[in-house]
Amino acid sequence: MTSAFMRMLTFFVALACATPAAAQTVHLMVIVGLAGDPEHAELFQRWASTLVDGATGRLGIARDHVIYLSEQPEKDPKRATGKSTQQEIERAFATIATNAKEDDVVFVVLIGHGTSDGKVAKFNLPGPDMTPASFEPLLKGLPSKHVVFVNTASSSAPFLEELSGPGRTIVTATRTGAERFATLFGGYFVDALMSDSADADKNRRSSVLEAFDAAKLGVARAYEQEGIMLTEHPLLDDSGDRKGTTDPKADGKNGRVASILSLGTAQSADAMPADPKMRALYEERRDLERRVEGLKLMKSGMEPARYASELEKLLTDLALKGKQIRDLEGKK
């Protein structure tokens, strides 16, 4: 057997014998980059706040183990811990490197826009952008054997190719750097991590693999609903092969580690109403909200008149759904 194979075999054996990831200490870093316009700023902030609130709420992660860096932290002072500049990001990694232990799980989630010129991919930030080469020494400095790095931006695939390695689960919203349009993946991925619906094995936690699968399906459905060609194809790599796949499996080359790792286990309090009818209305409302978000992100590829018409219809449906919920709540 080759030494590389033996190292990988040893890693999987250790992972299988370790305490389940949900019981380990989790450190979360959420980085929101440049939005470019108010619509994207609103969406990115919503995704980030959903992730931070869910992590510290229903998933039970300690607040001092969550770092949230934003383009405009002054707009979310209760959650944001700093500005998403390269200097602050490097400082945040240093903090986690000091506090995290070998068996802890470290999640890093990038939300925003990315670019690629065919040679170098970048995650867009206020100030200098960061490339995979910028993140490599930061990831290398983490003591944890379980690192999840998720880049939900456009043109994110090169981050997987360059950051892949043992002990790292890398997720990107695109399969090439040429997929450069604004991506929907981040919103669906965050929702899946926070949702019971993505929990396929019903163990009250959504693994990275379950969240990836749910987000991939949500993205494809959103494009199909709007009749637009799919322009983003998410990838996952947890084998260190620097290739990744759009179809990871728990028993496949990629997907084994991702099927074990999660942000945490849902606490006893349910985020959704217990009443089945009310729960269904909440889910229908969230689906409409997600369609509005998706439509806004696909705006640049649509005819203005069609965009305005579809947005008006969705907003009307959303308002009616809200009234249904209020009416039913008023009867209780």
Side-chain angles (χ1 to χ4, degrees):
M1 295 185 182
T2 66
S3 59
F5 177 81
M6 287 301 297
R7 285 197 300 270
M8 188 58 68
L9 179 61
T10 300
F11 169 73
F12 280 120
V13 171
L15 184 64
C17 297
T19 304
Q24 296 166 327
T25 299
V26 176
H27 304 262
L28 171 65
M29 185 191 310
V30 182
I31 304 170
V32 177
L34 287 177
D37 59 59
E39 284 185 337
H40 286 100
E42 179 185 352
L43 292 180
F44 294 160
Q45 192 277 331
R46 186 183 306 161
W47 296 353
S49 61
T50 297
L51 181 53
V52 170
D53 289 348
T56 56
R58 72 191 305 263
L59 297 184
I61 299 176
R63 187 66 186 86
D64 59 359
H65 286 174
V66 177
I67 296 174
Y68 170 26
L69 304 179
S70 171
E71 177 187 5
Q72 296 179 300
E74 67 278 4
K75 290 191 174 183
D76 195 4
K78 292 184 178 179
R79 298 186 184 92
T81 56
K83 192 176 178 69
S84 55
T85 62
Q86 181 170 354
Q87 184 178 26
E88 285 295 319
I89 292 170
E90 291 172 348
R91 185 176 292 119
F93 268 93
T95 297
I96 293 180
T98 299
N99 297 329
K101 296 180 173 55
E102 187 178 26
D103 289 326
D104 289 352
V105 181
V106 176
F107 272 77
V108 180
V109 181
L110 311 186
I111 297 174
H113 296 298
T115 57
S116 175
D117 61 4
K119 296 180 180 179
V120 178
K122 297 179 179 180
F123 179 65
N124 302 149
L125 296 169
D129 295 333
M130 290 185 70
T131 67
S134 306
F135 280 102
E136 172 58 32
L138 303 180
L139 293 177
K140 191 174 182 180
L142 295 174
S144 174
K145 296 183 295 186
H146 314 301
V147 176
V148 181
F149 184 92
V150 183
N151 187 344
T152 70
S154 48
S155 300
S156 51
F159 281 76
L160 181 147
E161 297 162 9
E162 297 187 43
L163 298 179
S164 172
R168 297 179 185 176
T169 297
I170 311 293
V171 174
T172 60
T174 74
R175 65 182 175 191
T176 70
E179 292 186 330
R180 56 186 178 79
F181 294 105
T183 55
L184 310 182
F185 180 78
Y188 284 103
F189 187 77
V190 167
D191 275 357
L193 283 176
M194 299 296 112
S195 170
D196 292 335
S197 62
D199 178 16
D201 57 12
K202 302 306 175 186
N203 63 350
R204 293 191 62 77
R205 67 183 182 90
S206 294
S207 69
V208 175
L209 179 61
E210 288 172 331
F212 178 91
D213 286 340
K216 182 178 69 173
L217 289 175
V219 167
R221 190 181 302 117
Y223 278 84
E224 183 180 2
Q225 286 173 335
E226 300 304 331
I228 296 176
M229 183 179 69
L230 190 62
T231 59
E232 57 183 284
H233 301 81
L235 288 178
L236 185 148
D237 168 61
D238 58 12
S239 69
D241 67 358
R242 296 183 177 272
K243 295 179 181 178
T245 179
T246 59
D247 190 28
K249 302 291 185 184
D251 59 354
K253 183 177 182 180
N254 284 296
R256 296 183 185 184
V257 180
S259 70
I260 299 171
L261 297 176
S262 71
L263 264 179
T265 301
Q267 305 298 304
S268 57
D270 284 325
M272 297 287 283
D275 178 73
K277 188 173 182 180
M278 184 67 79
R279 179 183 288 265
L281 288 174
Y282 268 63
E283 291 174 347
E284 290 167 7
R285 181 174 65 180
R286 188 66 193 100
D287 181 63
L288 286 168
E289 291 172 342
R290 174 62 65 218
R291 291 188 65 185
V292 170
E293 293 179 2
L295 188 67
K296 289 180 177 180
L297 289 173
M298 291 186 279
K299 178 180 179 181
S300 60
M302 300 178 68
E303 291 292 331
R306 180 187 170 193
Y307 171 78
S309 174
E310 293 195 20
L311 181 61
E312 181 180 9
K313 182 180 184 305
L314 284 174
L315 292 176
T316 299
D317 291 344
L318 187 58
L320 291 173
K321 191 63 62 180
K323 184 177 185 303
Q324 282 184 276
I325 291 173
R326 290 193 299 274
D327 289 345
L328 186 58
E329 288 175 336
K331 294 178 182 180
K332 292 183 178 297

